[in-house]
Amino acid sequence: MLQESFLASVLLPEGGKRTTSSSSSSSTSKDASIYLQSFRPIVGASTTYFKKSSTPRNGLAVSTTHIFAAQADKAVVHVYSRERGNQEATVPFPEKITSARFCGDDDNHHHGGGGAGVLMLGTEGGRIIAWEVCTGRQVSTPASHLQAVTTLAVDPGGQFLLSGSEDSNVHVWSVLSLLSFSSSDNLSTSLSPRHVLNRHQGPITKIVTGHSSSTSNIAISASKDESCIVWDYQSGQLLRTFLLAGPVISLALDPCDRAFYAGYQDGSIQLVDFFRDTPLAKHPLYDDPALTSTAIQASTSSVWAAQSLDLGATLCLDVVYEGNYILSGHHSGKVCVWDVSSGKYVKEVVDYGAPVTNLQMLPVTGFLNQSPPRLKVHQVVKPRYDPSFSGDDASVGLSKYTITAQFPSTLSRDDDDDGDMDPIEAALTGPSFPPGFLATSLAELTAYTSRYSTNGTVPDTVMVTGPETEALHEKVTELETSLEELRATHQETWKKMVEMRLEKIRMRRAEEARRREQVRLGGQAKRRKKIDNGAVAEDFDENGMEESPDEGSGDRQAAEEEEEDDDDDDMEEMKDDSSNRRQHDLDIQMKDQ
């Protein structure tokens, strides 16, 4: 039998006291704050309660196996197990969580999943946090929004995340980029939004995405500026702007993407039909580009009035699987049903006695062809900071990347997959390796090793042999031999040239020293002669030479400086030659390689 349920949460007032109601007076449910309740075939036939939670608007997320509830007064997220019906963990975060959405669980898209995915969180400081519940890996973006993130939405394919904020902007993120193991050089790109949609003039209250997995899927954003905008979020293009009857608090989209429903502060709901007054041959969102720059005033005749003002504001909305009924959660604590065909209030389903902040219809269960999930998360792994985003190499984040999950059934191939099974696939998916699989593999490895290796190791490359190849090898060997001989001759010649240059410099400096010694001895002889003639000793220096310059002293000094310059030039020339020789040898080695 097919069964459809809904999940609802309430925001408890200070002190935890509720208004008196028939459905909240029992001892079993008076402490409950999250409700998993059946809707069809019988409303309220089964109800599961979860306690100790006070969840703000858009702060509830659900997977096949778990419920995640952000807390209005604390920077924590409560994790509840749907299977065991109790609170599994309390996870703290650096700042208060203001919105939550689960991404990647196939069960959210009516295909059957096992709770494996990523919990997307929006913070009070404008950040996005991605928490992989199977690995514990946590990725946090910079504060991209200027104010708190008020709502999150994930498209059906799990490829894009949309975040709305009190700063009136909508950001479109690539989920793959957020979760990639990028190096620090690419962090600015991977942790930045792909598009910034900034046409609203007031805080964003709700974002919903269409049900298509194509590249032309739509998203709708609601704002307190009394407007809703339809976007092509993958390209960032504005498709339509609708002006409504008042500030929009909640939003829901028709299962066929034909219309959307907006909830207001007085408890009423307005239907906005895309195809109203539109020819069937034209698509109202894409076939008239002129309307993209023109705001459309929605008709007030499509507003569904609340039964009474006691309902309070319509805080949350969702549409049932068939699209013929709408469930609304109100500030008074009541959950109501509305008929789409007549546009009227039908009845009250339940009264929780506290503001219903979140209401979400769960996928229908009981289909005959619904296959069990291949992977199931029995217990979440608490988040930890990913070191790959601390400026180090991205491989650090992969070194301790471990997935914790269960295989509910035996791994097997899909029944609808045609063709023979590959031996490797059969070995990996079967209960054990097929008979003879290991023996055959070891025999092939042994044959390969003995053919191409002589020391028991397999070479990096296998050489192809043949007459032409052998001739080429011989020619290469001859060229290498000639090259080595030329290189040795070059080195020997250069060595002899260096020795000759050094010998020349030594001889020149010895000749200079000899001349200076002769000058010194001549000066001493002159001094002794003048002393004998009565000259004063102070007129001579310590070497016996007169301090007054003679006619040839300038010429000798210039000659000495010129000789020293010649020596320096020779040394510089030798250095240049040596550098050129080393560069020449390096070029030869590169050509050889």
Side-chain angles (χ1 to χ4, degrees):
M1 179 183 294
L2 298 181
Q3 183 176 354
E4 188 173 14
S5 304
F6 65 88
L7 181 71
S9 67
V10 298
L11 178 65
L12 297 178
E14 294 183 4
K17 295 182 179 181
R18 309 169 184 249
T19 59
T20 304
S21 64
S22 58
S23 60
S24 62
S25 58
S26 64
S27 60
T28 305
S29 61
K30 67 178 183 178
D31 295 332
S33 52
I34 298 177
Y35 305 85
L36 181 57
Q37 191 163 348
S38 62
F39 178 69
R40 287 191 292 189
I42 302 175
V43 177
S46 62
T47 305
T48 304
Y49 306 98
F50 301 93
K51 303 179 180 180
K52 299 180 180 180
S53 178
S54 182
T55 310
R57 293 184 61 246
N58 302 322
L60 187 69
V62 59
S63 70
T64 314
T65 57
H66 290 84
I67 298 171
F68 306 88
Q71 299 305 297
D73 55 347
K74 301 177 183 178
V76 298
V77 171
H78 288 180
V79 182
Y80 300 91
S81 172
R82 293 178 58 179
E83 182 179 5
R84 296 186 295 274
N86 61 356
Q87 183 175 345
E88 181 178 303
T90 299
V91 182
F93 288 91
E95 53 186 315
K96 187 183 294 184
I97 304 300
T98 54
S99 54
R101 191 70 178 175
F102 199 80
C103 171
D105 188 1
D106 293 336
D107 192 37
N108 288 333
H109 314 305
H110 311 285
H111 300 310
V118 183
L119 181 64
M120 297 296 183
L121 302 171
T123 71
E124 191 176 32
R127 303 176 187 274
I128 300 297
I129 296 177
W131 167 25
E132 296 181 0
V133 297
C134 290
T135 65
R137 178 174 176 238
Q138 174 185 319
V139 179
S140 178
T141 70
S144 58
H145 286 286
L146 300 179
Q147 293 176 279
V149 179
T150 55
T151 179
L152 295 174
V154 178
D155 70 340
Q159 302 294 317
F160 294 95
L161 170 72
L162 286 80
S163 62
S165 170
E166 293 180 355
D167 63 5
S168 75
N169 290 333
V170 175
H171 290 181
V172 182
W173 306 81
S174 170
V175 176
L176 297 179
S177 297
L178 287 176
L179 300 177
S180 66
F181 289 91
S182 301
S183 63
S184 58
D185 296 336
N186 298 325
L187 284 182
S188 59
T189 302
S190 62
L191 298 182
S192 299
R194 184 172 180 177
H195 300 293
V196 177
L197 314 179
N198 54 3
R199 295 299 184 90
H200 282 290
Q201 303 298 321
I204 308 298
T205 56
K206 186 67 177 179
I207 301 174
V208 294
T209 61
H211 301 82
S212 172
S213 297
S214 68
T215 56
S216 59
N217 193 28
I218 63 172
I220 305 175
S221 58
S223 172
K224 290 184 178 181
D225 62 1
E226 303 184 3
S227 70
C228 285
I229 299 180
V230 184
W231 306 90
D232 180 352
Y233 61 88
Q234 297 191 30
S235 64
Q237 179 185 359
L238 185 149
L239 300 178
R240 290 291 184 276
T241 301
F242 294 93
L243 302 180
L244 303 181
V248 181
I249 299 177
S250 54
L251 194 66
L253 186 61
D254 177 79
C256 296
D257 299 345
R258 301 169 300 183
F260 68 85
Y261 308 91
Y264 295 112
Q265 188 71 33
D266 60 357
S268 62
I269 298 175
Q270 183 173 9
L271 165 65
V272 179
D273 189 352
F274 296 148
F275 291 87
R276 182 180 179 179
D277 301 329
T278 302
L280 295 178
K282 296 181 66 177
H283 194 285
L285 298 179
Y286 294 95
D287 292 341
D288 194 355
L291 292 178
T292 58
S293 58
T294 304
I296 301 174
Q297 181 69 52
S299 175
T300 55
S301 61
S302 60
V303 177
W304 306 343
Q307 184 187 25
S308 67
L309 296 177
D310 295 338
L311 281 179
T314 307
L315 300 180
C316 46
L317 288 172
D318 209 349
V319 186
V320 301
Y321 177 72
E322 295 178 346
N324 54 346
Y325 291 104
I326 295 177
L327 267 68
S328 61
H330 296 267
H331 190 272
S332 62
K334 298 178 181 180
V335 176
C336 302
V337 180
W338 305 72
D339 183 30
V340 173
S341 60
S342 63
K344 293 182 179 180
Y345 170 91
V346 177
K347 64 178 181 179
E348 174 188 320
V349 176
V350 65
D351 186 358
Y352 295 132
V356 183
T357 52
N358 296 277
L359 190 149
Q360 182 175 345
M361 300 300 303
L362 301 182
V364 177
T365 59
F367 290 106
L368 295 178
N369 59 348
Q370 193 167 10
S371 59
R374 293 187 175 184
L375 197 66
K376 185 176 180 181
V377 178
H378 180 69
Q379 188 172 4
V380 300
V381 181
K382 289 188 176 182
R384 63 177 184 275
Y385 179 71
D386 187 355
S388 65
F389 289 91
S390 61
D392 299 330
D393 187 18
S395 60
V396 179
L398 287 169
S399 60
K400 297 182 179 180
Y401 193 75
T402 305
I403 298 177
T404 304
Q406 288 181 330
F407 293 107
S409 59
T410 303
L411 295 178
S412 61
R413 213 172 174 213
D414 292 337
D415 296 334
D416 57 349
D417 197 0
D418 300 329
D420 297 332
M421 184 177 292
D422 183 82
I424 303 297
E425 185 178 357
L428 294 177
T429 58
S432 62
F433 288 128
F437 180 80
L438 292 177
T440 304
S441 301
L442 291 174
E444 292 177 356
L445 181 60
T446 303
Y448 176 80
T449 304
S450 61
R451 180 178 180 182
Y452 297 115
S453 177
T454 57
N455 56 359
T457 59
V458 180
D460 295 334
T461 58
V462 179
M463 302 301 296
V464 180
T465 58
E468 297 181 358
T469 305
E470 293 178 356
L472 290 174
H473 282 313
E474 292 178 358
K475 188 173 182 179
V476 170
T477 304
E478 293 177 358
L479 292 175
E480 290 177 349
T481 304
S482 301
L483 181 61
E484 290 297 330
E485 293 177 354
L486 291 174
R487 187 175 297 169
T489 303
H490 177 74
Q491 291 178 353
E492 185 66 24
T493 303
W494 173 252
K495 184 178 179 180
K496 291 182 178 179
M497 290 176 62
V498 171
E499 291 177 352
M500 292 174 63
R501 291 277 183 91
L502 293 176
E503 182 63 24
K504 180 180 178 182
I505 293 173
R506 284 195 294 270
M507 292 175 62
R508 183 181 298 169
R509 291 182 175 177
E511 179 65 21
E512 176 63 23
R514 185 183 63 79
R515 287 201 304 267
R516 289 188 178 185
E517 182 63 20
Q518 289 179 352
V519 171
R520 186 181 68 82
L521 294 176
Q524 290 179 353
K526 233 187 231 188
R527 180 174 177 275
R528 284 195 297 271
K529 184 177 180 181
K530 287 189 176 185
I531 289 174
D532 293 341
N533 296 330
V536 182
E538 284 78 1
D539 294 337
F540 299 88
D541 59 13
E542 60 181 357
N543 293 325
M545 299 177 64
E546 287 185 344
E547 292 183 354
S548 58
D550 56 5
E551 296 179 356
S553 60
D555 296 337
R556 287 196 304 270
Q557 184 176 359
E560 291 173 359
E561 291 178 355
E562 183 178 357
E563 290 176 356
E564 290 178 357
D565 291 340
D566 291 341
D567 293 341
D568 293 339
D569 292 341
D570 291 339
M571 294 301 293
E572 291 295 331
E573 185 178 356
M574 291 175 61
K575 291 181 181 179
D576 294 339
D577 292 342
S578 178
S579 176
N580 293 333
R581 182 180 64 83
R582 286 196 299 270
Q583 182 64 35
H584 180 67
D585 293 342
L586 182 59
D587 293 340
I588 293 176
Q589 292 177 6
M590 293 179 66
K591 290 180 181 179
D592 294 342
Q593 293 177 358

